[in-house]
Amino acid sequence: MAKGQRTDWGDRDCLHLLRSGWMAQFRTLTDGRRHVLRFLMPGDMVGVTSQFSGSAPAPAIALTDARVATVPVAELIDPASAAALRQCCVLLAMENVQAHETLLSLGCLNAEERVAALLLGLFERAWARDLVSDRGLRLPLTQQDIADALGISPVHTNRMVMKLQRTGLIRLKAEWLQILDGPGLEALAQWTRPMAWTKGSDRGPKPMERTARRILVVEDDQLLALQMQAILRSLGFEVLGPAGSLESGLRLAEAGDVDAAVLDVRLDQGRRVFPVAQTLQRRSIPFSFMTGYSGDPELDRFHAPVLRKPVETGSVAAMIEQLIH
């Protein structure tokens, strides 16, 4: 199938496996507007839902030259086979998860967050198909394709992509996408699942040793808390919290199974995190303060290291290494 060619998939009693190339499934409104429902990459299958819904799969257009294998359902799925039916359930569940994530993105995220979430989702799927090298992925999508998937204009799409590049989160050039700051991109996209760089694969950054270590995070700024959580997970640690208030921080510090902690100095309502620090000191649990301010004399009495905001993966890794070794 040549780039730009459209397919309506033909026989409904067949399943279609994309063997190579990229495609986009879409719907066209009566006024001519297009909405991209799903980007297809090698390994994706089309037509499973149609076997149960009775409706034809949404048409697709080839974004690159593509090769599709079409096989009658009867040759792949035996209704009497529990294993075959279980595999169908897995495929349907995966499509359902993707649909829910799309609804969440369109309903709750702003334009910048939508672009970040879309790129992470594509990267996650590509990594599972061994299409990623050196955190890089060939991404043959135009700004119009991305705009049609996210419900924003191509001009706004371009602005958001440029912003992600200026902030050092991604690099996108000549259809080559690189994730430069995975944890930062996860935090922006409100991403909750561990990504490829957190799983210890030899294709990505190595996690720090002793991955069972648990790190308590106390931070009232939700975005910073998510960023810190993502960074720690990318380094192979478990995260306790993040605690967004002094009360929740105290509860976790008093009763939690904690190996180390990172504490934001200034919490909600102008309160300070020092009661949590005192609790950790009493339990002989090492901790670090985290602050964007300098010259706070009250920090000196704890003799604890200080992590300066804005944080990044390298500084957090060095700090945790100092605490637990």
Side-chain angles (χ1 to χ4, degrees):
M1 182 180 298
K3 178 180 178 180
Q5 185 177 346
R6 169 181 167 149
T7 178
D8 293 316
W9 304 110
D11 195 340
R12 295 187 188 181
D13 293 328
C14 291
L15 297 179
H16 314 275
L17 177 66
L18 184 58
R19 302 299 298 271
S20 65
W22 283 63
M23 304 182 74
Q25 280 188 278
F26 65 92
R27 293 290 189 190
T28 303
L29 302 182
T30 56
D31 62 4
R33 286 179 295 168
R34 183 185 74 155
H35 178 65
V36 172
L37 303 171
R38 180 187 179 198
F39 290 112
L40 302 174
M41 62 181 68
D44 282 335
M45 186 172 288
V46 176
V48 178
T49 303
S50 300
Q51 306 310 311
F52 300 91
S53 67
S55 60
I61 188 169
L63 303 177
T64 66
D65 290 346
R67 186 162 56 95
V68 178
T70 299
V71 183
V73 175
E75 295 183 14
L76 292 177
I77 302 176
D78 178 3
S81 169
L85 293 177
R86 184 163 52 248
Q87 185 62 28
C88 280
C89 290
V90 171
L91 292 172
L92 290 171
M94 292 173 64
E95 289 190 18
N96 190 52
V97 168
Q98 290 180 20
H100 284 179
E101 290 181 345
T102 300
L103 286 173
L104 175 65
S105 177
L106 296 178
C108 297
L109 303 184
N110 62 35
E112 183 183 8
E113 293 165 343
R114 290 183 198 181
V115 173
L118 174 66
L119 297 180
L120 283 171
L122 293 173
F123 188 93
E124 180 182 51
R125 292 167 55 204
W127 184 280
R129 291 161 171 78
D130 202 24
L131 300 175
V132 173
S133 60
D134 190 26
R135 287 200 183 179
L137 164 68
R138 187 197 173 196
L139 193 70
L141 310 183
T142 67
Q143 291 180 7
Q144 185 68 61
D145 294 329
I146 296 174
D148 288 350
L150 300 180
I152 57 180
S153 71
V155 172
H156 204 32
T157 298
N158 179 63
R159 290 172 181 163
M160 296 303 100
V161 170
M162 294 302 294
K163 185 175 181 180
L164 293 179
Q165 295 194 86
R166 286 197 305 271
T167 54
L169 297 177
I170 68 168
R171 180 183 295 119
L172 182 57
K173 185 177 182 180
E175 295 189 351
W176 186 253
L177 168 69
Q178 283 187 298
I179 307 294
L180 303 180
D181 183 357
L185 199 63
E186 288 182 47
L188 176 63
Q190 309 289 320
W191 198 261
T192 57
R193 295 190 305 280
M195 288 292 290
W197 43 79
T198 73
K199 298 175 184 177
S201 167
D202 59 5
R203 290 175 291 175
K206 299 291 184 182
M208 292 176 65
E209 296 180 357
R210 298 201 276 186
T211 58
R213 297 282 187 168
R214 273 186 119 186
I215 311 299
L216 168 64
V217 175
V218 180
E219 170 62 73
D220 65 329
D221 185 301
Q222 185 179 18
L223 184 60
L224 292 178
L226 288 170
Q227 180 187 16
M228 178 59 69
Q229 177 177 294
I231 289 175
L232 289 171
R233 285 178 175 172
S234 77
L235 295 171
F237 294 99
E238 295 181 17
V239 177
L240 190 60
S245 68
L246 181 61
E247 291 77 12
S248 59
L250 277 171
R251 284 195 300 270
L252 293 175
E254 290 170 349
D257 181 11
V258 184
D259 293 293
V262 180
L263 313 176
D264 182 29
V265 174
R266 299 170 185 263
L267 300 177
D268 56 332
Q269 300 177 6
R271 291 182 293 182
R272 316 267 272 185
V273 78
F274 298 137
V276 178
Q278 291 169 342
T279 298
L280 294 170
Q281 272 190 335
R282 188 174 67 251
R283 297 184 60 193
S284 299
I285 296 172
F287 60 90
S288 163
F289 290 115
M290 180 169 56
T291 182
Y293 300 91
S294 59
D296 191 333
E298 291 194 61
L299 299 182
D300 297 336
R301 63 188 176 96
F302 289 94
H303 304 290
V306 177
L307 185 64
R308 297 294 177 185
K309 297 180 181 179
V311 299
E312 57 183 22
T313 301
S315 59
V316 173
M319 182 63 67
I320 300 300
E321 184 79 12
Q322 177 183 347
L323 292 176
I324 66 176
H325 290 89

